[in-house]
């Protein structure tokens, strides 16, 4: 049934019932007073106990008492050491008097995810060297073992049989050599023809110079790859002439050339031009720097975490990194230090001169398409030979204040691993989709067929607590309204549109996730159709965080981009909700948005799900299937002495 409440209510009912008889109300009042004083005594006793409670072993507050507001302070973490900014600044240079929201333990505990990978405590950022080996998926990551802020970076390590249920292992590599004393930074794994593994990674040396180092497993017979050896000849590469000491990092996975050499790229810049240097090696000990560049794009600044891999033009399988040929396109992805986003381009790799040429220069690397239009950075793929697919990992950073991260004792998570393919229908986009193993967490399901959502209305979806969900939805817009809508030459943009309060004839419409009953907190995931003066339609996929929380110290941006919708396609989306993370996929993954939400009221059982349509003219119908999701129960690896079993 349609909810006739205002789309964005400013208040909710106080729960009183004026028609109740006075005698009954007086009797009720006496009972309530008795209960009140009883609870007051219990509360005073609990407060005395809580005053002696300290922080628990996971770094979260052991008491749910609301903390006093604290001033926010600007702290820069990363650039001085030669990497991108890792601190989340929520206020401008002229506003040094920001106040932290008084989060309590209940709110902070809710924010921790149930099925996304994250360490037990402290800081995490870039994914490193993911691979599949002897029956186990391995995931390495940038980790601070001492605090929930960036610094003291080493390599964390976890394994899984299915990319979902992870088991923590001991640290893989620590900063114990002169060439990585200031940090064991991002790297990539390469499989040799005999099945052995080499890992190239960036170290920040004792003088904060970025150098490349070689590491390999101490025991290739160990399926868990617990112990790693650093090559005695490290560093194997130092910044070449013309490259600054802090602009030389993040080697890619290597690929074989037709001459039998291994080739890989390293991110850098010259002035404001982002570049990818190219190296060849036969043995990963001696290296030859090639004269040219894999790619360079003016104005894009420092390129971090470069990734380079083939995709098939004809099949839906992933390809080994060394594959090339007439039925292959190549993808080049860079993480831009300047704006903290991941960009990709699709094009052709020319082995002879080691260059990548994009199919469309107007959407070149760093100026065109993005993997994800939300909070997503430093992504890395690997070829999964176990299932013949390419899998994408990405770092989801926090969007709250550093003060809140310190209180809860952890910061950052990883995205659900995604398969990544060429969109053969458009030829211009990639398709990203959660790995199929995530479906194993599905519990109760709910189906809603052809739900009519009139213009200006909200429809509640009764699915129980809406904290852990997997949502599949299709929308059909009223065709008559679509044809009658007047075109406009006004250019629409998700980020500058004002969010869901900006109404058009054909949108916005979609889902309200992590919403409370009164809709005072809500995170809309939605489509907006813009009709041009020429009658052509453009569809946008957006995520509006502006009302995601009543807290003052969280990011409330509006994310999104245009998404291609081909003739005959309905509008479709998939949304994974996992506490403070929302991953949204439109049109089979052509456009993806990841966001963080930190509600203060729409948590636990109070988190609800709604359909909405805030268009002024067009009605829509929606069909959905929704699953409650189980936890992945990520935990330490049990009984490491029996690790081979």
């Amino acid at each position: 049934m349609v909810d006739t409440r205002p789309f964005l209510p400013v208040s909710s009912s106080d729960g009183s019932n004026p028609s109740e008889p006075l005698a009954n109300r007086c009797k009720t009042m006496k009972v309530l007073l008795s209960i009140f004083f009883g609870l007051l005594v219990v509360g005073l006793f609990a407060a005395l106990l809580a005053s002696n409670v300290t922080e628990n072993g996971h770094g979260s507050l052991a008491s749910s008492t609301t903390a006093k507001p604290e001033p926010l302070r600007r702290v820069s973490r990363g650039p001085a050491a030669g990497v991108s900014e890792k601190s989340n600044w929520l206020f401008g240079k002229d506003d040094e008097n920001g106040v932290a929201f008084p989060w309590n333990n209940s709110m902070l505990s809710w924010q921790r995810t149930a099925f996304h990978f994250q360490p037990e405590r402290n800081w995490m950022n870039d994914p490193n060297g993911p691979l599949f080996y002897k029956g186990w998926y391995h995931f390495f990551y940038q980790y601070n073992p001492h605090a929930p802020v960036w610094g003291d970076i080493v390599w964390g390590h976890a394994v899984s049989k299915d990319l979902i249920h992870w088991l923590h292992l001991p640290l893989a590599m620590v900063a114990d050599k002169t060439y990585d004393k200031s940090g064991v930074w991002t790297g990539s794994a390469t499989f040799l023809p005999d099945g052995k593994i080499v890992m190239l990674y960036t170290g920040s040396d004792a003088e904060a110079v970025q150098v490349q180092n070689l590491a390999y497993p101490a025991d290739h017979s160990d399926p868990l790859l617990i112990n790693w050896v650093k090559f005695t000849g490290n560093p194997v590469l130092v910044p070449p002439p013309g490259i600054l000491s802090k602009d030389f990092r993040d080697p890619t996975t290597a690929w074989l050339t037709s001459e039998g050499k291994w080739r890989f790229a390293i991110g850098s810049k010259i002035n404001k031009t982002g570049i990818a240097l190219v190296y060849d090696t036969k043995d990963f000990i001696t290296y030859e720097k090639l004269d040219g560049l894999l790619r360079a794009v003016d104005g894009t600044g420092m390129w971090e975490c470069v990734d380079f891999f083939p995709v098939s033009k004809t099949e839906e399988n992933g390809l080994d990194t060394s594959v090339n040929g007439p039925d292959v396109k190549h993808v080049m992805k860079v993480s831009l230090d300047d704006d903290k986003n991941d960009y990709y381009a699709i094009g052709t790799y020319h082995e002879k001169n080691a260059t990548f040429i994009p199919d469309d220069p107007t959407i070149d690397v760093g100026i065109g398409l993005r993997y994800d239009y939300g909070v997503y950075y430093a992504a890395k793929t690997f070829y999964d030979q176990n299932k013949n697919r390419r899998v994408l990992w990405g770092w989801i950073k926090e969007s709250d204040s550093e003060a809140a991260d310190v209180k809860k004792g952890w910061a950052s998570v990883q995205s659900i691993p995604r398969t990544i393919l060429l969109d053969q229908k458009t030829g211009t986009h990639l398709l990203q989709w959660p790995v199929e193993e995530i479906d194993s967490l599905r519990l109760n399901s709910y189906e809603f067929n052809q739900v009519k959502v009139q213009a200006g209305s909200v429809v509640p979806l009764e699915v129980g607590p809406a904290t852990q969900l997997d949502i599949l939805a299709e929308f059909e817009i009223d065709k008559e309204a679509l044809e009658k809508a007047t075109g406009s030459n006004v250019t629409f943009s998700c980020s500058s549109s004002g969010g869901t309060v900006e109404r058009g004839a054909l949108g916005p419409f979609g889902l309200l996730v992590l919403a409370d009953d009164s809709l005072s907190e809500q995170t809309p995931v939605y489509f907006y159709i813009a009709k041009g003066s020429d009658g052509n339609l453009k569809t946008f996929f957006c995520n509006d965080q502006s009302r995601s929380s009543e807290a003052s110290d969280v990011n409330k941006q509006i994310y999104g981009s245009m998404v291609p919708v081909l003739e005959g396609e309905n509008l479709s989306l998939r949304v994974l909700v996992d506490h403070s993370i929302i991953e949204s996929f439109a049109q089979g993954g052509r456009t993806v948005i990841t966001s963080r939400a930190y509600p203060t009221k729409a948590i636990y059982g109070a988190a609800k799900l709604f359909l909405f349509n805030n268009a002024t003219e067009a009605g829509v119908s929606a069909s959905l299937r929704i699953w409650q999701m189980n936890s992945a129960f990520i935990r330490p690896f049990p009984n490491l002495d029996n690790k081979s079993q």
Side-chain angles (χ1 to χ4, degrees):
M1 182 175 180
V2 172
D3 189 335
T4 56
R5 292 173 295 179
F7 178 65
L8 296 170
V10 295
S11 64
S12 60
S13 171
D14 63 5
S16 63
N17 183 3
S19 64
E20 185 180 5
L22 179 60
N24 289 346
R25 278 188 278 164
C26 290
K27 182 178 180 180
T28 301
M29 183 62 70
K30 290 179 181 179
V31 173
L32 291 174
L33 286 172
S34 299
I35 294 172
F36 172 79
F37 285 111
L39 291 174
L40 182 61
V41 172
V42 173
L44 289 172
F45 180 72
L48 289 172
L49 290 176
S51 64
N52 295 319
V53 175
T54 58
E55 193 173 289
N56 67 25
H58 293 283
S60 62
L61 298 180
S63 168
S64 62
T65 304
T66 301
K68 293 181 180 180
E70 300 175 358
L72 293 172
R73 296 179 177 86
R74 291 177 64 93
V75 179
S76 176
R77 301 186 188 277
V83 292
S84 61
E85 180 63 63
K86 300 298 189 289
S87 182
N88 183 33
W89 293 350
L90 296 167
F91 44 95
K93 292 182 179 179
D94 298 328
D95 182 11
E96 296 292 339
N97 299 314
V99 176
F101 183 80
W103 299 99
N104 64 39
N105 182 51
S106 179
M107 298 172 184
L108 295 175
S109 296
W110 176 88
Q111 293 174 12
R112 190 170 178 89
T113 64
F115 53 85
H116 283 73
F117 178 81
Q118 60 186 122
E120 293 182 284
R121 59 185 66 85
N122 296 327
W123 170 274
M124 173 178 64
N125 54 289
D126 305 5
N128 294 155
L131 56 90
F132 179 81
Y133 188 71
K134 292 186 181 295
W136 290 95
Y137 289 100
H138 289 257
F139 182 68
F140 305 89
Y141 54 94
Q142 299 282 277
Y143 180 57
N144 180 354
H146 304 127
V149 298
W150 184 88
D152 300 333
I153 295 299
V154 298
W155 274 32
H157 185 194
V159 292
S160 171
K161 288 288 187 178
D162 62 1
L163 288 170
I164 302 298
H165 298 86
W166 291 93
L167 300 169
H168 298 296
L169 290 175
L171 299 177
M173 289 193 285
V174 298
D176 58 357
K177 304 295 183 183
T178 56
Y179 50 77
D180 60 15
K181 185 176 182 179
S182 300
V184 184
W185 290 353
T186 294
S188 300
T190 300
F191 276 97
L192 302 180
D194 61 3
K196 292 183 178 180
I197 303 163
V198 293
M199 195 79 75
L200 287 175
Y201 73 93
T202 298
S204 180
D205 73 10
E207 304 299 324
V209 177
Q210 294 171 11
V211 297
Q212 311 312 314
N213 304 304
L214 172 65
Y216 46 87
D219 180 6
H220 273 95
S221 68
D222 175 13
L224 297 184
L225 302 176
I226 289 178
N227 296 310
W228 288 77
V229 175
K230 296 175 183 177
F231 177 52
T232 55
N234 282 338
V236 295
L237 286 172
V238 298
I243 299 298
L244 299 181
S245 62
K246 294 182 179 180
D247 296 338
F248 183 62
R249 57 185 178 268
D250 309 337
T252 67
T253 293
W255 62 93
L256 272 172
T257 69
S258 58
E259 297 178 344
K261 296 179 180 179
W262 291 99
R263 180 169 290 172
F264 62 95
I266 297 175
S268 188
K269 70 173 181 177
I270 297 177
N271 297 319
K272 278 293 185 179
T273 298
I275 64 172
L277 303 165
V278 187
Y279 288 84
D280 279 359
T281 181
K282 291 182 178 180
D283 54 12
F284 289 91
I285 296 174
T286 58
Y287 298 82
E288 174 192 1
K289 179 183 174 295
L290 303 191
D291 291 336
L293 299 170
L294 185 62
R295 190 66 185 161
V297 179
D298 293 341
T300 55
M302 178 67 196
W303 285 2
E304 299 186 300
C305 303
V306 174
D307 202 5
F308 189 68
F309 57 91
V311 289
S312 175
K313 294 163 57 177
T314 59
E315 299 180 359
E316 294 187 355
N317 296 325
L319 298 176
D320 179 86
T321 309
S322 297
V323 172
N324 200 359
D327 292 330
V328 170
K329 284 288 184 181
H330 272 78
V331 176
M332 185 170 186
K333 168 257 153 186
V334 300
S335 301
L336 291 194
D337 191 357
D338 285 358
D339 72 1
K340 312 303 182 289
N341 292 310
D342 279 12
Y343 292 82
Y344 74 87
I346 299 168
T348 302
Y349 165 59
H350 299 278
E351 181 187 300
K352 186 176 181 180
N353 58 4
T355 58
F356 168 79
I357 305 299
D359 290 342
D360 182 352
T362 65
I363 49 174
D364 204 343
V365 187
I367 61 173
L369 300 174
R370 285 167 49 182
Y371 270 172
D372 191 301
Y373 290 86
V375 184
Y376 189 89
Y377 193 64
K380 183 177 291 295
T381 67
F382 76 101
Y383 175 65
D384 175 13
Q385 72 274 27
N386 182 44
K387 290 198 171 182
N388 197 24
R389 61 186 174 179
R390 183 159 290 273
V391 176
L392 171 69
W393 283 94
W395 167 40
I396 304 174
K397 60 184 178 180
E398 299 296 323
S399 295
D400 59 354
S401 67
E402 185 175 284
D405 297 342
V406 170
K407 286 181 180 179
K408 67 190 180 189
W410 58 271
S412 303
V413 301
Q414 298 292 329
S415 66
I416 294 299
R418 305 168 182 174
T419 57
I420 187 166
L421 295 166
L422 177 67
D423 180 4
Q424 295 175 20
K425 292 181 179 179
T426 65
T428 57
H429 286 63
L430 296 174
L431 296 176
Q432 302 171 56
W433 201 249
V435 292
E436 61 184 3
E437 289 89 339
I438 192 67
D439 298 355
S440 68
L441 298 181
R442 289 171 171 173
L443 298 172
N444 299 335
S445 66
Y446 305 83
E447 290 195 44
F448 303 87
N449 294 312
Q450 295 295 312
V451 180
K452 304 297 182 184
V453 191
Q454 300 302 323
S457 66
V458 176
V459 178
L461 296 172
E462 300 299 334
V463 297
T467 288
Q468 295 171 208
L469 298 177
D470 185 357
I471 306 166
L472 291 173
E474 282 198 354
F475 296 87
E476 293 183 64
I477 192 165
D478 180 71
K479 293 181 180 179
E480 184 177 348
L482 201 61
E483 293 173 358
K484 288 183 177 180
T486 303
S488 170
N489 59 6
V490 176
T491 302
F492 180 84
S493 166
C494 293
S495 60
S496 61
S497 66
T500 51
V501 295
E502 179 169 317
R503 306 180 67 184
L506 307 175
F509 57 87
L511 295 166
L512 304 179
V513 302
L514 296 178
D516 67 334
D517 271 329
S518 69
L519 302 185
S520 60
E521 289 185 332
Q522 54 175 279
T523 303
V525 179
Y526 60 97
F527 292 103
Y528 187 102
I529 300 175
K531 191 172 187 178
S533 55
D534 57 3
N536 292 329
L537 302 175
K538 288 185 178 180
T539 303
F540 295 83
F541 183 54
C542 314
N543 186 312
D544 180 0
Q545 295 185 125
S546 61
R547 293 166 185 80
S548 61
S549 176
E550 292 190 351
S552 56
D553 60 350
V554 302
N555 192 313
K556 297 180 181 179
Q557 286 182 257
I558 302 166
Y559 298 120
S561 180
M562 189 179 74
V563 56
V565 180
L566 306 184
E567 186 175 354
E569 290 183 344
N570 286 335
L571 297 174
S572 65
L573 61 81
R574 184 178 186 180
V575 182
L576 293 173
V577 181
D578 186 9
H579 294 259
S580 58
I581 289 182
I582 304 165
E583 292 191 73
S584 307
F585 306 79
Q587 301 308 110
R590 284 188 194 128
T591 299
V592 183
I593 306 171
T594 298
S595 61
R596 301 299 302 273
Y598 305 90
T600 63
K601 296 187 296 186
I603 57 179
Y604 301 107
K608 308 294 182 183
L609 178 67
F610 299 83
L611 284 167
F612 82 94
N613 178 9
N614 208 30
T616 58
E617 297 179 19
V620 298
S621 63
S623 295
L624 307 94
R625 190 166 185 191
I626 302 166
W627 291 266
Q628 292 281 346
M629 295 291 278
N630 201 357
S631 170
F633 301 106
I634 297 168
R635 64 195 189 279
F637 197 105
N639 304 318
L640 273 178
D641 291 339
N642 301 320
K643 61 182 181 295
S644 62
Q645 297 180 359

